[in-house]
Amino acid sequence: MQNAYKIAVFEGDGIGPEITAPTVEILRALSERAAYDFDFIPCAAGAAHYAQFGESLPEASMTQAQSADAILLSAMGLPSVRYRDGTEISPQIELRKKLDLFAGVRPVRIFPGLNTPLKLTPDQEVDFVLIRESTEGLFHTQGCGEVTQDEARETLLITRETSEKLFRFAFDLTKSRKASGRGKGRLTCVDKANVFRAFAFFRALFDAEAAKHGDVQADHAYVDATALWFVLKPWEFDVLVTENMFGDILSDLGAGLMGGLGVAPSADIGLDHAVFQPCHGSAPDIAGQGVANPMAMILSAAMMLVWLGERHDCAALKRDGSQLQAAVEAVIGAGHHLTADMGGVASTAEAARAVLNSVLKQ
């Protein structure tokens, strides 16, 4: 069993460095009390780096990411810094494609203390996972779509190879959630197969994989109906799997159910690499003020610990990941150390310190 792990750290733009520093501090503290060590490797990338040096993701940073055991990536991009074609700087998408991180994992969990817009009864528990294919779909021609004076075109790509890997991952996650007592054993394929042949192909590949998993309840939903049901009955979902753009949109809707992007973590996972990052942007309007919400970043780090623990069969990592998630939920539930976006007055450092104190007491 490996006991030392190299973590490539991209601190990002805007509020990125402010939420990365306390997250790394928490990870250091956890490793100091456990039987594993972290080597944090700072990696340059992002809009500010592009504005200064003309490249958004240096080759040296990509090399560090490829050789790391995991990648911790903070908020990236600045609205004022763009490529020549007008699109924003997004090295996180470059990493997904380069490292073949085909499975974008977006947990949606409503727990006590979250300012959800939903009115839930005690028996209506919202705890589901959206899996977004993260390397192709409508993002396939990102940066190279065809634009003329009179029209513009982007190409949606769905391949058998990527979709089959995605669906195997989704069925495995569905089974592991059920085994842990977190899920119903239900996997929903979200598409638009009634209109587009590409999505009929996507659905057919899903059905072929579903035939191999009789212990999972596999079903389908159109993306527009799914958006409706996210609002009307989100407690009925367990695991959902969908195309890149649909997943991009639905994941933000899922974050809205939790009360905002400030508590929305994510992971982009492939066969050999994984990136863990908050779903939110770089919020340059509050950068440097010390008031950013660090919870999504910390929850993403918790996902990283669990993933590393499962990958390397390390019980201590899996335990600490679960305890770190529980600590975030406890702090939010107590309501004493919340940042402004959650209705409180705590600083970034105060909120993170409360999480650290909570997890060290466990």
Side-chain angles (χ1 to χ4, degrees):
M1 181 184 70
Q2 183 176 338
N3 64 359
Y5 303 92
K6 179 181 176 182
I7 310 299
V9 179
F10 293 80
E11 67 175 15
D13 297 303
I15 62 171
E18 299 172 53
I19 59 175
T20 301
T23 301
V24 169
E25 179 184 354
I26 290 171
L27 293 173
R28 287 190 193 278
L30 289 174
S31 69
E32 288 172 0
R33 73 170 191 180
Y36 58 83
D37 293 310
F38 288 128
D39 180 14
F40 295 102
I41 310 299
C43 299
H49 188 85
Y50 178 83
Q52 186 174 0
F53 300 104
E55 56 180 355
S56 60
L57 182 58
E59 187 61 35
S61 295
M62 179 60 78
T63 299
Q64 292 281 20
Q66 288 175 309
S67 65
D69 293 294
I71 302 160
L72 188 63
L73 187 145
S74 196
M76 288 279 184
L78 294 170
S80 60
V81 180
R82 297 176 179 265
Y83 294 118
R84 291 182 179 180
D85 63 2
T87 58
E88 287 193 31
I89 310 301
S90 50
Q92 65 271 30
I93 299 178
E94 296 177 59
L95 281 167
R96 292 171 195 164
K97 293 181 177 180
K98 180 72 173 179
L99 302 179
D100 194 22
L101 308 178
F102 57 86
V105 180
R106 309 293 191 264
V108 177
R109 173 172 162 79
I110 298 177
F111 50 87
L114 288 183
N115 187 25
T116 175
L118 300 175
K119 294 182 178 179
L120 301 173
T121 61
D123 62 323
Q124 293 173 335
E125 181 182 10
V126 177
D127 184 354
F128 64 84
V129 178
L130 177 68
I131 303 174
R132 163 194 178 187
E133 194 290 311
S134 293
T135 62
E136 49 186 43
L138 196 54
F139 282 65
H140 170 63
T141 50
Q142 180 216 4
C144 55
E146 301 176 20
V147 180
T148 69
Q149 183 175 345
D150 299 312
E151 63 180 42
R153 300 171 185 264
E154 300 282 0
T155 301
L156 180 148
L157 176 69
I158 291 175
T159 67
R160 175 181 295 274
E161 180 183 7
T162 296
S163 297
E164 288 179 344
K165 289 188 296 186
L166 177 74
F167 294 143
R168 286 194 294 268
F169 179 94
F171 277 99
D172 287 346
L173 180 61
T174 304
K175 291 178 182 181
S176 66
R177 275 174 55 85
K178 184 176 181 180
S180 69
R182 290 284 299 276
K184 308 176 181 69
R186 177 189 179 194
L187 177 60
T188 303
C189 177
V190 180
D191 55 47
K192 196 63 177 172
N194 57 329
V195 176
F196 297 103
R197 295 178 66 187
F199 284 109
F201 176 68
F202 188 75
R203 179 179 288 204
L205 294 174
F206 174 82
D207 288 343
E209 185 63 30
K212 305 173 186 177
H213 304 274
D215 53 343
V216 173
Q217 178 189 348
D219 56 18
H220 316 96
Y222 296 135
V223 65
D224 45 345
T226 302
L228 173 70
W229 294 332
F230 265 24
V231 176
L232 295 182
K233 49 181 182 180
W235 49 86
E236 293 192 0
F237 291 112
D238 182 10
V239 181
L240 306 95
V241 62
T242 191
E243 176 270 341
N244 205 339
M245 179 60 80
F246 288 168
D248 190 23
I249 296 168
L250 288 177
S251 62
D252 273 22
L253 178 53
L257 300 181
M258 294 189 288
L261 289 166
V263 291
S266 78
D268 290 295
I269 300 173
L271 298 180
D272 300 310
H273 306 278
V275 169
F276 301 86
Q277 66 178 120
C279 288
H280 60 70
S282 62
D285 56 319
I286 60 169
Q289 300 177 32
V291 297
N293 188 344
M295 298 306 189
M297 185 70 177
I298 297 171
L299 286 169
S300 299
M303 293 178 68
M304 182 186 76
L305 292 175
V306 172
W307 180 81
L308 281 170
E310 291 174 347
R311 185 173 178 83
H312 297 280
D313 191 25
C314 178
L317 282 165
K318 289 186 284 187
R319 177 204 66 212
D320 286 350
S322 297
Q323 290 185 351
L324 183 54
Q325 176 182 324
V328 170
E329 295 184 7
V331 169
I332 292 175
H336 303 308
H337 299 91
L338 304 181
T339 49
D341 62 308
M342 301 186 72
V345 295
S347 67
T348 305
E350 290 167 341
R353 192 177 305 115
V355 173
L356 176 58
N357 291 338
S358 177
V359 74
L360 290 180
K361 290 178 182 177
Q362 295 183 38

